[in-house]
Amino acid sequence: AQSVTQLGSHVSVSEGALVLLRCNYSSSVPPYLFWYVQYPNQGLQLLLKYTSAATLVKGINGFEAEFKKSETSFHLTKPSAHMSDAAEYFCAVSDRGSGTYKYIFGTGTRLKVLA
Amino acid sequence: GAGVSQSPRYKVAKRGQDVALRCDPISGHVSLFWYQQALGQGPEFLTYFQNEAQLDKSGLPSDRFFAERPEGSVSTLKIQRTQQEDSAVYLCASSLDRDSGNTIYFGEGSWLTVV
């Protein structure tokens, strides 16, 4: 069965510092992987996704993530944090090509950006 | 509209009351999902439609929960005899087709509070 683990329910970084949000997955087949962001009182917005092309995926707002099969990881990074990055971030996994369609989400990481 | 639209945005229900939550997906999207997001948690899968067919309802927590999409577009999630543990945000999402690598687009959610 698929699952996603996000290490660290809360992460604080200083403005301008590196952002690193961790995601590890478990899947019986090579998965599709996603990062979503949720601002207060809003729905989820896709940041980026991995669907088997390049292992380093670039997304919106300067975020990127690297798929590492050997580590079963898909960590999200951004070189320099902005105040506007403060939000909740969710990693999600979906099995590919098996006819399944469920997206399994992690429990989320709340990012706080300190001035 | 351009995005997934949900109504009502906020609903306060007395325990035991029935509620109906509406989702208007992106025009032309075949796949429609309902997720439940409790406070401080990630979205949890409830049910999935492909056009009007409900292909998976394994995430519905009890037989008090019922979802339909009779014409393959608008969907309604109905909760009968609401209980306090039903308090959550109910997120609707849609995607172009059932390819699990497709991006799913979320609405802003319906916030249900049961008192």
Side-chain angles (χ1 to χ4, degrees):
Chain A
Q2 306 165 78
S3 66
V4 169
T5 302
Q6 290 186 241
L7 296 176
S9 58
H10 292 81
V11 170
S12 294
V13 300
S14 297
E15 192 175 18
L18 171 71
V19 176
L20 171 62
L21 304 182
R22 300 179 186 272
C23 173
N24 288 88
Y25 69 90
S26 173
S27 177
S28 57
V29 298
Y32 294 126
L33 293 159
F34 307 81
W35 274 100
Y36 280 83
V37 61
Q38 186 176 36
Y39 297 101
N41 298 333
Q42 295 186 23
L44 283 74
Q45 178 186 5
L46 181 72
L47 279 177
L48 49 81
K49 66 179 181 180
Y50 167 76
T51 57
S52 84
T55 56
L56 181 62
V57 181
K58 294 186 183 299
I60 63 171
N61 301 340
F63 284 94
E64 62 182 37
E66 185 172 8
F67 172 68
K68 291 187 176 180
K69 185 178 178 180
S70 61
E71 299 178 6
T72 60
S73 69
F74 190 58
H75 301 332
L76 181 71
T77 61
K78 182 174 180 178
S80 176
H82 294 172
M83 297 298 289
S84 59
D85 294 328
E88 186 101 26
Y89 292 80
F90 293 94
C91 183
V93 63
S94 176
D95 275 345
R96 72 170 64 206
S98 60
T100 60
Y101 34 75
K102 288 182 186 179
Y103 294 70
I104 306 300
F105 286 84
T107 53
T109 298
R110 184 169 297 278
L111 176 66
K112 186 175 182 180
V113 181
L114 307 172
Chain B
V4 178
S5 178
Q6 292 187 246
S7 63
R9 285 294 319 277
Y10 304 94
K11 174 71 177 179
V12 178
K14 291 184 177 179
R15 190 168 50 185
Q17 186 179 354
D18 297 349
V19 300
L21 308 176
R22 175 190 168 102
C23 173
D24 205 334
I26 294 173
S27 178
H29 277 196
V30 167
S31 294
L32 186 144
F33 306 80
W34 283 98
Y35 282 82
Q36 180 190 58
Q37 186 177 20
L39 191 64
Q41 299 296 317
E44 296 277 348
F45 172 82
L46 292 177
T47 188
Y48 164 74
F49 289 86
Q50 182 182 345
N51 295 307
E52 70 279 3
Q54 188 175 20
L55 298 186
D56 189 337
K57 54 182 180 180
S58 62
L60 296 176
S62 77
D63 58 7
R64 295 186 297 104
F65 286 71
F66 171 76
E68 60 182 6
R69 194 186 184 196
E71 298 179 358
S73 55
V74 171
S75 177
T76 303
L77 176 67
K78 297 179 180 178
I79 309 173
Q80 298 177 322
R81 305 180 304 281
T82 52
Q83 300 178 6
Q84 284 191 318
E85 60 262 32
D86 300 335
S87 296
V89 180
Y90 291 87
L91 296 167
C92 179
S94 69
S95 69
L96 188 59
D97 59 36
R98 65 177 296 168
D99 182 344
S100 57
N102 277 331
T103 300
I104 57 174
Y105 297 89
F106 284 85
E108 294 190 322
S110 288
W111 294 66
L112 174 64
T113 302
V114 181
V115 297

